[in-house]
Amino acid sequence: MLLPYIWRPGATAEEAERRDHVPYRDWARAGFLQLCDGDIINYSDVEEAIQQAREDYDLRMVGFDPYLSRTITQRLEPIVPVMEIPQDLRNMSPAMKEMDDLMTRHQLLHVHNTCFRWTFGNVRCHVDGNGNIKPLKNKSIGRIDPPVAAIISIAVWMIMRTKHTYDTRHLREDWGL
């Protein structure tokens, strides 16, 4: 289940609406995204939302692209384990394919969020000669951070699922279960 939390700086929302041609302030009023005070994303808001998700849901791990994320990951490590998922073909392609498969089979549940849906429609992909895929920010037609975060979440889930299967199999072998 995807529960998107989307933030953007509130001080630049009006300007961003003109540039991106989307109603950020209306989406904020509808609860589809949070506008942070000032002209940057407030990491305290992000940290608080993750802490709340840890309390409300079975949140076991948070994934991040390691590029420029050290400040927030250091703040989150005491709250929840953090896993780095670089935005390269090796790490993004399996998760994108898994997400596509789940969506095609109508098994990827998510709450209605117009802003989230808009960002998915903006994604343009790189496909290599082996059929590996990843989103390309410089080729996409608008903001794509929420879908990239969703792909990273799927990548973490896939790694943890594989690790759990591996650990369970070894427990059975080691203990004769």
Side-chain angles (χ1 to χ4, degrees), residues 7 21 57 122 135 161:
W7 294 270
H21 307 289
Y57 307 104
N122 295 336
R161 177 183 64 186

Side-chain angles (χ1 to χ4, degrees), residues 124-140:
R124 299 299 177 266
C125 296
H126 166 75
V127 181
D128 74 3
N130 294 318
N132 295 306
I133 56 175
K134 76 175 209 125
L136 286 177
K137 226 173 221 199
N138 63 339
K139 300 288 184 192
S140 296

Side-chain angles (χ1 to χ4, degrees), residues 124-166:
R124 299 299 177 266
C125 296
H126 166 75
V127 181
D128 74 3
N130 294 318
N132 295 306
I133 56 175
K134 76 175 209 125
L136 286 177
K137 226 173 221 199
N138 63 339
K139 300 288 184 192
S140 296
I141 58 172
R143 308 288 171 194
I144 66 165
D145 295 309
V148 169
I151 294 163
I152 288 172
S153 296
I154 297 281
V156 168
W157 171 69
M158 290 172 67
I159 290 166
M160 295 306 292
R161 177 183 64 186
T162 302
K163 182 180 178 339
H164 174 73
T165 302
Y166 176 82

Side-chain angles (χ1 to χ4, degrees), residues 34-102:
Q34 285 70 46
L35 295 177
C36 298
D37 292 334
D39 59 359
I40 61 170
I41 301 296
N42 184 341
Y43 285 157
S44 294
D45 292 349
V46 177
E47 184 179 352
E48 185 179 304
I50 291 173
Q51 176 65 40
Q52 190 63 52
R54 176 99 167 126
E55 293 170 15
D56 293 346
Y57 307 104
D58 186 20
L59 181 65
R60 297 179 188 177
M61 176 98 40
V62 176
F64 279 94
D65 178 359
Y67 184 72
L68 299 177
S69 68
R70 295 289 180 243
T71 302
I72 187 68
T73 56
Q74 288 175 356
R75 292 176 69 151
L76 293 176
E77 284 174 336
I79 299 170
V80 65
V82 176
M83 182 182 292
E84 291 185 351
I85 305 290
Q87 289 186 45
D88 56 23
L89 277 171
R90 186 175 140 258
N91 288 288
M92 299 297 278
S93 186
M96 277 193 77
K97 289 177 178 181
E98 180 78 13
M99 181 183 289
D100 183 56
D101 180 58
L102 290 168

